[in-house]
Amino acid sequence: SSPHLVQVRERIRINGQPISKDLFNKYFWLVYNRLEETKDPVHASMPAYFRFLTIMAFHVFLQEKVDLAVVEVGIGGAYDCTNIIRTPVVCGVSSLGIDHTSILGDTLEKIAWQKGGIFKPGVPAFTVAQPEQPLEVLRERAQEQKCPLYLCPELDEFEEGCGALELGLAGAHQRSNAALALQLARTWLQLRSCQDLELKEVPASTKLVGRPIPLAPIFRPTDAMIQGLRDTEWLGRTQVLSHGPVTWYLDGAHTTSSIQACVRWFRQAALKQDKLHDGSEVRVLLFNATGDRDMAALLKLLLPCHFDYAVFCPNFTEVSVANNADQQNFNVTLENALTRCLENQRTWTRLLEEKAGQDPWLPAPLRVGGLLQPTPARGSLLLVPPAPRPLNSPALVFPCLAQALRWVAQGRDPHLAAPAASGAHPHPAASSGAVLLREAAAVRVLVTGSLHLVGGALRLLDPALSQ
């Protein structure tokens, strides 16, 4: 799977656990040296990062003799480097969303075409409810490949006779993922001639109105399946960490549809009742997004959560990432990342102004000039817009996650050090909200927009994950 959150070893798991450091070290150098010895001397380049890890994963699975490998594509499917398995046991396409548009196309139909590239002749494939046009594209792709394609019934259909199916992952969207997982698991078990599945077949003629794809059979889930759905954990997806008065809500949503699902989950999990106006609860958004995503569209979707503060920072855990190779990204400079954060800050401020009218205390329009130059004497940057009332700025930018998290927690999270009294936060707006955050009975923080951001936050909030 990709990307990893804290350590690269998360991408290659056996029996649910990341491979050990020793195994990773062994297979990394074995694959690296073999490629180095056999590469084309004319075009002497090694595979890119993701491609190398994909080659390495297949090698690990072969050498460790796994019975079943579950392989998630990186981007798209048709031209993804994971798509080299000629006859997989089964293929699945989950709910489609707009993402990686510069590579996959800017419509769901174009993206569906790319996703359908994993279909193989004679290999059953399953998908979940999709808009009509993208579903038609998937059907055409399946016909081209002579691939039998089925639509997964809703999870509710599987509850007859076994009661409500409890999911370990929160969020309504996980129910369609669970329905897809049940069909993929059943196909594998049937291939292994497991006889303990009580199938309750749906008549073959059953189709969804206007969507000419047959429904997959409904069956009674086994006890192991029921337990699997209940016990599933996936870090960084609808994850809640309660650290005293500060509760962190982590979700790596980074598309329009996933942000919408994230907002539904957050409002249900954190905002069950209307916010009290006595300052006893403070809500904070910690956001960053990468790639070619429409930041303004994503931020606008987050407005209904009524955040008191929005904090923007790059995905770097520290200003210097030299001691954290797993979090390094050589494709993005700190200055580029900070520029994007400043744009997000400006967008958020504009959205607030549009929503509330011209509130006199909101920051003045952002002036970017000179903000990216750290002063050596200061030790670190705090980037905020000039504002008439800087102590009440609703949008702040920090140069790294560690500083952003420390500001949000104000010393109240035992896993995080308190922000330095002087030096680290020299700008007067550093104290923006500090009193409120220190005195609130509850601080609820949503961290979203990027899996890499969530991974960096997890690394700091749960140090055990780095072991």
Side-chain angles (χ1 to χ4, degrees), residues 148-265:
L149 176 65
Y150 302 94
L151 198 64
C152 295
E154 298 290 335
L155 193 62
D156 300 0
E157 304 278 343
F158 292 86
E159 296 182 337
E160 188 178 325
C162 67
L165 291 170
E166 186 184 334
L167 300 187
L169 298 176
H173 58 292
Q174 296 295 354
R175 293 186 68 78
S176 79
N177 289 338
L180 179 60
L182 285 177
Q183 294 292 350
L184 301 179
R186 169 185 171 272
T187 306
W188 164 253
L189 291 168
Q190 281 191 319
L191 188 81
R192 295 287 292 260
S193 302
C194 295
Q195 302 299 328
D196 58 347
L197 290 179
E198 299 178 39
L199 296 183
K200 175 192 166 191
E201 295 286 352
V202 173
S205 61
T206 304
K207 295 179 181 178
L208 288 192
V209 177
R211 297 182 182 181
I213 294 180
L215 279 174
I218 297 165
F219 58 91
R220 182 170 298 164
T222 64
D223 290 344
M225 287 176 171
I226 293 169
Q227 182 182 345
L229 294 177
R230 185 177 62 239
D231 294 347
T232 297
E233 292 180 348
W234 200 251
L235 295 180
R237 279 76 169 179
T238 60
Q239 182 180 4
V240 181
L241 292 176
S242 296
H243 291 181
V246 186
T247 307
W248 306 91
Y249 299 84
L250 306 157
D251 191 67
H254 52 272
T255 65
T256 301
S257 55
S258 60
I259 288 282
Q260 287 171 327
C262 171
V263 167
R264 285 194 297 270
W265 162 71

Side-chain angles (χ1 to χ4, degrees), residues 431-460:
S431 58
S432 176
V435 174
L436 279 175
L437 288 164
R438 280 198 295 267
E439 296 181 357
V443 178
R444 306 193 187 281
V445 192
L446 176 62
V447 185
T448 193
S450 163
L451 275 167
H452 301 286
L453 179 77
V454 166
L458 270 174
R459 182 173 180 270
L460 296 165

Side-chain angles (χ1 to χ4, degrees), residues 268-282:
Q268 185 178 359
L271 316 179
K272 293 188 177 76
Q273 63 271 0
D274 289 334
K275 190 168 70 168
L276 301 172
H277 290 285
D278 57 1
S280 61
E281 178 185 310
V282 177

Side-chain angles (χ1 to χ4, degrees), residues 105-424:
D106 55 2
T107 67
L108 282 180
E109 289 79 6
K110 292 175 183 175
I111 290 169
W113 189 93
Q114 296 279 354
K115 299 291 184 183
I118 65 172
F119 296 157
K120 302 291 184 291
V123 173
F126 297 87
T127 190
V128 297
Q130 312 278 8
E132 194 168 338
Q133 292 305 314
L135 193 67
E136 179 64 22
V137 173
L138 289 176
R139 186 184 72 84
E140 290 171 359
R141 290 286 269 163
Q143 283 185 332
E144 288 169 13
Q145 290 291 332
K146 297 183 172 53
C147 157
L149 176 65
Y150 302 94
L151 198 64
C152 295
E154 298 290 335
L155 193 62
D156 300 0
E157 304 278 343
F158 292 86
E159 296 182 337
E160 188 178 325
C162 67
L165 291 170
E166 186 184 334
L167 300 187
L169 298 176
H173 58 292
Q174 296 295 354
R175 293 186 68 78
S176 79
N177 289 338
L180 179 60
L182 285 177
Q183 294 292 350
L184 301 179
R186 169 185 171 272
T187 306
W188 164 253
L189 291 168
Q190 281 191 319
L191 188 81
R192 295 287 292 260
S193 302
C194 295
Q195 302 299 328
D196 58 347
L197 290 179
E198 299 178 39
L199 296 183
K200 175 192 166 191
E201 295 286 352
V202 173
S205 61
T206 304
K207 295 179 181 178
L208 288 192
V209 177
R211 297 182 182 181
I213 294 180
L215 279 174
I218 297 165
F219 58 91
R220 182 170 298 164
T222 64
D223 290 344
M225 287 176 171
I226 293 169
Q227 182 182 345
L229 294 177
R230 185 177 62 239
D231 294 347
T232 297
E233 292 180 348
W234 200 251
L235 295 180
R237 279 76 169 179
T238 60
Q239 182 180 4
V240 181
L241 292 176
S242 296
H243 291 181
V246 186
T247 307
W248 306 91
Y249 299 84
L250 306 157
D251 191 67
H254 52 272
T255 65
T256 301
S257 55
S258 60
I259 288 282
Q260 287 171 327
C262 171
V263 167
R264 285 194 297 270
W265 162 71
F266 179 66
R267 296 185 74 175
Q268 185 178 359
L271 316 179
K272 293 188 177 76
Q273 63 271 0
D274 289 334
K275 190 168 70 168
L276 301 172
H277 290 285
D278 57 1
S280 61
E281 178 185 310
V282 177
R283 298 177 189 170
V284 181
L285 169 66
L286 178 56
F287 180 90
N288 191 42
T290 58
D292 51 12
R293 298 180 175 92
D294 184 343
M295 310 292 179
L298 299 183
L299 288 170
K300 190 169 185 176
L301 293 171
L302 291 159
L303 282 177
C305 296
H306 302 297
F307 293 105
D308 298 289
Y309 299 99
V311 177
F312 304 99
C313 71
N315 293 340
F316 308 124
T317 48
E318 304 283 353
V319 175
S320 168
V321 292
N323 298 323
N324 183 18
D326 286 83
Q327 306 284 160
Q328 278 185 295
N329 182 350
F330 294 104
N331 297 318
V332 181
T333 67
L334 176 60
E335 184 164 349
N336 288 344
L338 285 172
T339 300
R340 174 162 288 197
C341 291
L342 290 163
E343 290 168 359
N344 288 337
Q345 178 192 47
R346 184 166 47 213
T347 299
W348 183 258
T349 302
R350 177 176 55 78
L351 288 169
L352 288 180
E353 288 172 351
E354 289 172 359
K355 183 183 172 196
Q358 295 296 321
D359 249 351
W361 63 269
L362 284 174
L366 184 62
R367 293 189 289 276
V368 177
L371 284 178
L372 295 180
Q373 309 306 317
T375 308
R378 281 158 52 175
S380 64
L381 288 150
L382 173 78
L383 304 168
V384 291
R389 287 173 58 191
L391 298 186
N392 210 3
S393 174
L396 296 90
V397 174
F398 290 90
C400 68
L401 258 164
Q403 290 187 30
L405 294 181
R406 282 199 293 268
W407 176 81
V408 172
Q410 290 293 323
R412 304 180 74 190
D413 183 329
H415 292 110
L416 298 167
S422 62

Side-chain angles (χ1 to χ4, degrees), residues 1 3-13 18 235 465:
S1 64
H4 62 274
L5 290 173
V6 179
Q7 298 195 74
V8 67
R9 296 182 293 113
E10 298 165 29
R11 295 175 182 239
I12 305 174
R13 298 168 183 253
L235 295 180
L465 292 173

